[in-house]
Amino acid sequence: MMVGMASEESPTMASTPSATTCTDTVGGSVTHSDASVDAADAADMAAADTVDAPGRPSTRAWTTRLVILGLVLSALNLRPAITSLGALLEEVRDGLGMSGSVAGVLTSVPPLCFAVFGVMAPRLARRFGPVAVVCAGMAAIAAGLAVRPYAGGTAGFLVASALALMGIAVSNVLMPVIVKRWFPDRVGSMTGLYSMALALGTSAAAAATVPMVGALGGHWQSGLAVWALLAGAAVLPWLPLVGGRGTGRTAVRDPSGPGDPSGPRAATDRAAAPSGAGGAYGVGAPNRAENGPGLGGPRITRSRTAWALAVFFGLQATAAYITMGWMAQIFRDAGVPAGTAGLLLAATMAIGIPLAIVIPRVATRLPHQGPIVVAIGLCGLAGYAGLYLAPAAGAWAWALLLGVSNCAFPLALTLVGMRSRTAAGVARLSAFAQSTGYLISIPGPLLVGVLYQHSGGWGLPLALMAALMVPQIAMGVLAGRDRTVEDECGAREAT
């Protein structure tokens, strides 16, 4: 599957040999008020994470396969820390003495960590390289998951969870950057590949955690800690890429090669980086043309598309973390057994496995992604209505509808790659959209916990979730328009 995906060129993603680089122009605050970048920073990040690849094609192919393996294994680890907890939330609450409101705080920790730590990712990548940061992120996930069940008390559990979520946060932001750098002509295909792996890891953790608790002696601590092993395995493919020679900071030729410039739609030019001096992959400082109009000076906050994408990302994240944190509990409160509730949550996540491949590929072929946004949103509204009217009777139908609704995530990742022309622009847009989006999503799971505790049922929480779906659809339609942040920033700079 992975080799086949690597060799497949998306007809809508063309590329020319270029000196693409990944830079951070996000300011020190989470609100991204300072978004200036200079050529030296871009050059630093371009040189930061690559390994020496001599002219031998076999060496380049081996390195590319390692990158693909690293992407897949890393994606598998981006959600088990959350969905394994969702499957055992009742046991964790009883074991740690949590109220419904405190459990709401616990389910709000992921987006909080993603917002706080995600904004650091491009700066860390410029300092150490995207590959090194993702490798360290996987190590942090492994350590956090191994420690948190045995940390003792709610505070220790939260701190260890934050360590794992920090690793997830930086990897969330940098995965699109690595895809754009290594596979600039296959953004849709490679985004679909790691989105599929992400959905697989999400659903596997939801389905397997409760059975593993029984297999490991009936202790919920063991059921949570076992996922540290998967995170440890994800460290391994990145290690040769980080090491390289000496410092591991030598340049690598473009592993993807030139794309086909005769793609069927004009968006291919935006998905690929423009040609640069020398034709080497990530070598040297970019010039103004490489960064695209407006990326060298004006703030990304001047782009309406960037804001629409950030809000869309935040609202879909709100829905996703409410689903991952609370859906199993909704079914359990309706009389569904714990094991079946875990399987329902797993089914919700598993539906994203095939759709994570299909949606990005369809999206890159459309001039406007709004129809996909609307279809996904309507599935979410239908699922919430079903959970309110007949949560147990139609449980599998509602789980599948909400699974389709959760596929707003791979669509959002695809839009990040499509709404900027260059790897530098993708790095900026990814950091801005994800960090701002996760800030927006923080109150959602917390409010659900508070409403659940004080109302004694799921009517008000489900009404909140359905109400949030309406602006999600609106913002997704705006983010799906056929334009780039470089164009918008350049136009505003000119005026």
Side-chain angles (χ1 to χ4, degrees):
M1 167 68 78
M2 289 185 295
V3 174
M5 185 64 63
S7 63
E8 175 186 342
E9 289 193 5
S10 170
T12 64
M13 294 294 177
S15 172
T16 56
S18 63
T20 58
T21 56
C22 302
T23 64
D24 166 39
T25 58
V26 181
S29 68
V30 178
T31 56
H32 310 279
S33 59
D34 182 9
S36 61
V37 70
D38 56 31
D41 284 344
D44 286 346
M45 190 167 171
D49 73 312
T50 52
V51 294
D52 183 51
R56 298 191 300 273
S58 61
T59 302
R60 294 199 299 273
W62 177 82
T63 304
T64 302
R65 291 189 185 101
L66 270 184
V67 173
I68 295 172
L69 180 61
L71 284 170
V72 171
L73 286 177
S74 297
L76 285 171
N77 283 279
L78 294 182
R79 294 299 179 269
I82 303 165
T83 52
S84 62
L85 176 59
L88 294 175
L89 185 59
E90 184 171 317
E91 287 77 6
V92 174
R93 286 176 59 191
D94 293 340
L96 298 178
M98 290 184 187
S99 66
S101 296
V102 174
V105 171
L106 180 61
T107 56
S108 293
V109 168
L112 173 62
C113 289
F114 293 167
V116 172
F117 297 120
V119 73
M120 300 164 51
R123 294 186 180 276
L124 291 172
R126 190 170 63 238
R127 179 77 169 86
F128 302 105
V131 164
V133 176
V134 171
C135 182
M138 293 299 112
I141 295 170
L145 293 183
V147 169
R148 75 172 178 176
Y150 308 103
T154 301
F157 191 93
L158 288 171
V159 170
S161 294
L163 175 62
L165 293 166
M166 176 180 65
I168 297 173
V170 295
S171 301
N172 272 339
V173 172
L174 294 178
M175 297 278 272
V177 175
I178 293 175
V179 167
K180 187 75 169 183
R181 175 178 291 185
W182 280 83
F183 309 99
D185 56 344
R186 294 189 291 276
V187 171
S189 296
M190 295 308 300
T191 300
L193 177 62
Y194 84 75
S195 296
M196 182 185 69
L198 188 152
L200 179 61
T202 304
S203 59
T209 298
V210 173
M212 281 194 296
V213 168
L216 296 173
H219 302 293
W220 62 265
Q221 292 91 340
S222 301
L224 293 181
V226 71
W227 295 103
L229 298 176
L230 182 62
V235 174
L236 302 179
W238 299 116
L239 291 177
L241 304 178
V242 173
R245 292 182 182 175
T247 63
R249 296 172 66 88
T250 52
V252 63
R253 290 283 179 180
D254 185 351
S256 58
D260 178 9
S262 59
R265 58 185 289 264
T268 56
D269 294 332
R270 295 197 301 273
S275 298
Y281 188 71
V283 178
N287 56 30
R288 177 75 170 178
E290 288 166 333
N291 272 337
L295 282 181
R299 301 169 179 175
I300 199 169
T301 51
R302 297 169 70 101
S303 166
R304 293 177 180 174
T305 295
W307 276 108
L309 184 53
V311 176
F312 175 67
F313 196 99
L315 293 174
Q316 68 80 28
T318 300
Y321 289 110
I322 290 173
T323 299
M324 287 186 281
W326 289 106
M327 195 178 81
Q329 190 65 50
I330 294 174
F331 287 127
R332 292 178 72 169
D333 287 351
V336 176
T340 304
L343 289 176
L344 287 164
L345 178 58
T348 299
M349 304 304 148
I351 192 66
I353 297 173
L355 291 180
I357 289 289
V358 173
I359 288 177
R361 292 178 63 82
V362 172
T364 55
R365 286 165 168 77
L366 295 177
H368 193 306
Q369 290 72 45
I372 304 177
V373 172
V374 173
I376 286 173
L378 292 177
C379 287
L381 290 172
Y384 294 141
L387 284 178
Y388 177 75
L389 296 173
W396 289 100
W398 318 141
L400 293 177
L401 284 169
L402 290 175
V404 175
S405 178
N406 278 351
C407 288
F409 178 71
L411 177 60
L413 293 179
T414 305
L415 290 175
V416 168
M418 295 180 69
R419 296 287 85 91
S420 179
R421 288 198 179 103
T422 66
V426 169
R428 297 180 58 198
L429 184 57
S430 179
F432 174 74
Q434 293 200 42
S435 293
T436 304
Y438 284 127
L439 271 180
I440 293 170
S441 71
I442 290 170
L446 176 60
L447 284 174
V448 166
V450 172
L451 290 174
Y452 171 56
Q453 179 175 344
H454 290 282
S455 68
W458 288 104
L460 287 178
L462 288 170
L464 171 66
M465 295 154 71
L468 291 176
M469 188 59 66
V470 176
Q472 176 183 318
I473 294 172
M475 290 298 102
V477 169
L478 291 177
R481 295 173 301 173
D482 189 12
R483 61 195 64 193
T484 66
V485 294
E486 289 91 344
D487 291 339
E488 291 184 341
C489 288
R492 287 178 175 268
E493 184 183 42
T495 59

